[in-house]
Amino acid sequence: MSSSTDPSAPSGHLTGRVLRVSGGVYEVDTPHGVVACSLRGRIKQKDDRIVSVGDLVELDPVEGEQGARIARVLPRHGALTRHGVSRRREQVIVANVDQVAVVAALASPDPDWLMIDRLLALADLNELDRFLVVNKIDEEPGALPAPLETYVRIGYDLLLTSAAVGRALGELEERLRGRITVLSGQSGVGKSSLLNALIPGLDLRVGAVGERQGRGRHTTVASALYPYPGGGYVADTPGLQTLALWEVAPVDLSIGFPEILAAREGCRFNDCLHRSEPGCAVTAAVEAGDISRRRYESYLGLLEETGGSR
Ligand code: ZN
């Protein structure tokens, strides 16, 4: 950042990162601590939603008052949105996200594969890095269960962790440091325990992260960033794991499934949605066992949400 970070400099701006937004108050993480901010009128008139959690902003101090006003939003380098990259300006869930960590467990709770596929697809639709964290691996793991083998074969990165016995926490730590990471997954997979283990003093109530907030069209995705020790932020985004993909164009959904994206090159029609169209290379690959039927069923389930099913 070329901007001054000295709040007393007459022409300089203090810059900071928006941690959370609530009732018109923007909590901004600055080199001088967290500052409660309002929006400057000029921005406010444009659109309240123009400032999102994760945005880097310039602040104007307010004369004689505590707090500051957000004067300008610095350019974003990406975002997690409801509908991928095509209409990025609207409905930003977290701005400037680098990666999505999808957290799952093999038991208690049993994995919700559709939810896992939904989150992985959302990452790819937004052109974000992503990896799978399979938590609660308290004992030495043997062979990977078949569904996890499938993810590895497709090319997803997999990290087997245990917050309880400290497995692979160093590796996870390394992946999170210096980046903005959305951590999402089913309730009960241990997201809070992982965060508590990685961020000393955070003290999240176990079970507090990523609680369900309704499903479908009207799912609200509130988000908050937690500063990560040594740089970076972890975003908690309750509601994300059940977010319906209704704003994704049906023909774009295969962007969220790398193995389907690769196979669709061979489809006869370039607007093929890979249901029962003639000459579909994707359904042929499913029949041949080259594409996992379970993954294909996830694709069909999500396709229905986009309005792409008949
Ligand atoms: Zn097809």
Side-chain angles (χ1 to χ4, degrees):
M1 283 305 106
S2 56
S3 313
S4 166
T5 50
D6 180 357
S8 59
S11 58
H13 284 285
L14 182 64
T15 61
R17 180 83 61 185
V18 178
L19 296 181
R20 53 179 73 72
V21 182
S22 171
V25 178
Y26 297 75
E27 282 180 40
V28 179
D29 187 29
T30 76
H32 306 283
V34 176
V35 179
C37 300
S38 56
L39 286 189
R40 208 167 125 171
R42 187 161 50 86
I43 296 184
K44 209 171 187 166
Q45 279 158 18
K46 265 201 212 155
D47 187 351
D48 271 14
R49 291 178 306 173
I50 210 159
V51 184
S52 299
V53 166
D55 268 325
L56 208 51
V57 293
E58 282 183 356
L59 305 181
D60 281 340
V62 180
E63 284 291 320
E65 286 177 45
Q66 294 282 343
R69 280 202 192 102
I70 293 175
R72 196 162 86 87
V73 183
L74 298 178
R76 289 176 185 152
H77 67 67
L80 180 68
T81 69
R82 284 172 172 263
H83 32 58
V85 291
S86 52
R87 290 155 61 210
R88 177 169 277 163
R89 276 189 69 80
E90 290 174 85
Q91 308 233 23
V92 170
I93 296 166
V94 186
N96 297 312
V97 174
D98 295 298
Q99 57 185 358
V100 177
V102 179
V103 188
L106 291 177
S108 10
D110 287 336
D112 180 340
W113 300 113
L114 177 62
M115 181 187 290
I116 292 166
D117 291 337
R118 175 191 304 278
L119 290 167
L120 291 172
L122 203 55
D124 279 356
L125 284 160
N126 284 284
E127 296 180 337
L128 301 172
D129 288 344
R130 71 309 198 244
F131 59 98
L132 255 174
V133 178
V134 182
N135 192 33
K136 298 193 177 179
I137 308 289
D138 300 346
E139 322 243 303
E140 202 52 51
L144 281 182
L148 292 186
E149 283 288 4
T150 300
Y151 288 113
V152 173
R153 205 176 64 230
I154 294 167
Y156 291 107
D157 265 348
L158 191 68
L159 206 56
L160 304 180
T161 63
S162 164
V165 305
R167 181 186 308 282
L169 292 185
E171 261 182 81
L172 183 57
E173 205 275 326
E174 219 164 274
R175 281 169 182 257
L176 302 186
R177 200 189 310 131
R179 313 192 76 192
I180 298 186
T181 308
V182 165
L183 199 74
S184 190
Q186 257 170 294
S187 296
V189 294
K191 294 184 297 291
S192 309
S193 306
L194 282 175
L195 286 181
N196 284 334
L198 292 172
I199 308 182
L202 180 64
D203 204 20
L204 274 183
R205 183 170 57 86
V206 170
V209 175
E211 292 293 350
R212 183 166 297 214
Q213 296 206 337
R215 181 182 284 274
R217 199 169 261 259
H218 302 294
T219 301
T220 49
V221 183
S223 42
L225 290 189
Y226 298 105
Y228 196 71
Y233 296 86
V234 175
D236 176 27
T237 51
L240 186 69
Q241 72 277 23
T242 58
L243 183 71
L245 302 182
W246 63 280
E247 285 170 282
V248 173
V251 75
D252 284 346
L253 182 63
S254 55
I255 294 168
F257 288 79
E259 73 277 41
I260 294 178
L261 187 64
R264 83 169 182 187
E265 299 294 313
C267 293
R268 185 179 304 165
F269 304 110
N270 52 22
D271 61 348
C272 187
L273 296 179
H274 327 302
R275 297 161 306 188
S276 51
E277 293 88 340
C280 176
V282 172
T283 48
V286 174
E287 288 308 319
D290 296 333
I291 287 180
S292 142
R293 190 167 291 276
R294 192 201 59 67
R295 284 272 296 172
Y296 177 63
E297 277 162 13
S298 283
Y299 167 80
L300 290 180
L302 298 181
L303 186 66
E304 203 167 313
E305 293 178 5
T306 67
S309 69
R310 281 174 291 198

